[in-house]
Amino acid sequence: MLAVKVPKREAEKVRRKLIELGLLAKGYAVRREGEFVLFPVTEPVEGFELIEADFERLERRPHSYREVVEVPENVRPLLPSSFDIIGDVAIIELPEELMSYGKVIGEAILKVHRHIKAVFAKGSKVSGEYRVRELVHLAGRRRTETLHRENGIRLKLDVARVYFSPRLATERMRIFEKTRPGEIIFDMFAGVGPYAVLLAKKAKLVFACDINPWAIRYLEENIRLNKANNVVPILGDVRKIAGKLEADRVIMNLPKFADRFLREAMLSVKPGGIVHYYGFAPEEDLFSEHEAKIKAAAKELGFTVKFLEKRKVRPYAPRQFNIAIDFKVMK
Ligand SMILES: C[S@@+](CC[C@H](N)C(=O)[O-])C[C@H]1O[C@@H](n2cnc3c(N)ncnc32)[C@H](O)[C@@H]1O
């Protein structure tokens, strides 16, 4: 192919010039020949010595497992364009038609993403009190414990035994930014501590409750890992603790059932304190049903609420969203 031949000492300057002109042929290895360097070019470049030369093709690393996976053409359009990564574990949601190709899909993910060591498919929806899902092993190690990094903290967890979603990292950072130094926080549904351990960097004290013993076990480990000694882990049903403490800020990260715990949240917040409520809602009416429940719960207790902010957190299912409502409780 066509090439520009330049003395070695001018090579870097010429390389930059060729890139600037958009004439450097992509995907080929530049060649060295004695005191000269050969650059492959897409068309003749004035002012340079032009020659014909062979160049070795550079192997381009694929960006997506979809570029390397071998599945029949008729199911290829069904391949998901994304999947969750928790530490070194990948969790992908495969439609029924792709489940029998799970192994090749898992192996393609391992091949393209070298830091991933285990691949699982979602085997069920998140369900039950502990909010966990079944996982189907596809490829790599059969290990479900991993170390995840998020918002500058390290979280050890077992993806098969506890709830954890990396998709909430931005939301957690948002709450961190709202937290004022010295606050007392009550994380009602703490899981392995992605809110609690993060907020502990600013707060005076964080009470972090969960009913799943595995979540509390990992939370304790994460307290140690991050030296978050101002987090108080509490194993048990949050209903037993609510009302026994007074927090500046309460976090209700149990979107499926948070409405059932509004009374507990309101009893646990100081007058003028803030509650971060999460729920699921259809696209056509994101907030009104949840707001009505919040107002009703406050009225029953003789309190009033002031809504501060409402937002979509992330898509949850087709035309369904995970939403957040921040409100202040006046007593
Ligand atoms: C959606 S997960 C959220 C976990 C964590 N906040 C996070 O962001 O990863 C909800 C958590 O609430 C816990 N949970 C459910 N019902 C509970 C209850 N009655 N009392 C305390 N924890 C509960 C579950 O075990 C689960 O870990």
Side-chain angles (χ1 to χ4, degrees), residues 19 101 219 250 311:
I19 291 174
Y101 304 102
L219 170 62
V250 173
R311 64 195 173 276

Side-chain angles (χ1 to χ4, degrees), residues 70-260:
E70 283 177 27
V71 292
E73 282 313 306
N74 62 321
V75 293
R76 189 166 278 283
L78 300 174
L79 288 168
S81 58
S82 66
F83 51 83
D84 283 345
I85 301 175
I86 305 175
D88 61 0
V89 175
I91 301 177
I92 189 162
E93 184 165 0
L94 293 180
E96 200 53 48
E97 300 89 319
L98 283 177
M99 276 315 262
S100 54
Y101 304 102
K103 191 166 184 291
V104 286
I105 293 172
E107 277 164 1
I109 290 174
L110 292 176
K111 196 168 166 188
V112 174
H113 303 274
R114 298 284 162 85
H115 63 289
I116 293 174
K117 300 291 178 239
V119 185
F120 293 87
K122 292 181 182 176
S124 70
K125 287 201 177 323
V126 164
S127 70
E129 199 169 40
Y130 296 173
R131 311 308 297 145
V132 290
R133 67 165 92 247
E134 277 167 36
L135 296 173
V136 181
H137 179 255
L138 299 183
R141 297 190 196 150
R142 278 177 192 275
R143 163 170 61 70
T144 48
E145 186 180 77
T146 190
L147 185 71
H148 184 73
R149 286 183 167 76
E150 173 185 290
N151 295 327
I153 59 170
R154 288 184 296 162
L155 297 165
K156 197 163 176 187
L157 66 120
D158 186 327
V159 292
R161 292 190 153 119
V162 298
Y163 174 93
F164 183 79
S165 173
R167 300 184 197 187
L168 295 174
T170 313
E171 173 62 16
R172 295 192 262 261
M173 186 38 82
R174 217 189 56 81
I175 305 296
F176 176 74
E177 273 155 14
K178 288 189 183 290
T179 302
R180 301 272 67 89
E183 283 189 0
I184 295 177
I185 311 272
F186 183 24
D187 187 357
M188 291 174 76
F189 311 103
V192 303
Y195 282 92
V197 173
L198 177 65
L199 301 195
K201 289 185 181 200
K202 270 195 194 166
K204 183 162 136 199
L205 210 51
V206 183
F207 295 99
C209 175
D210 205 287
I211 202 165
N212 177 353
W214 283 102
I216 292 298
R217 203 184 122 170
Y218 282 107
L219 170 62
E220 285 167 348
E221 188 145 0
N222 294 329
I223 291 171
R224 277 193 295 277
L225 267 177
N226 296 280
K227 300 188 176 63
N229 299 324
N230 50 343
V231 177
V232 182
I234 305 165
L235 171 61
D237 190 326
V238 75
R239 279 174 275 232
K240 297 206 177 119
I241 301 129
K244 296 197 178 116
L245 53 91
E246 270 207 326
D248 296 288
R249 197 175 291 278
V250 173
I251 298 158
M252 303 185 75
N253 185 217
L254 179 64
K256 185 85 177 169
F257 305 119
D259 54 344
R260 301 181 191 170

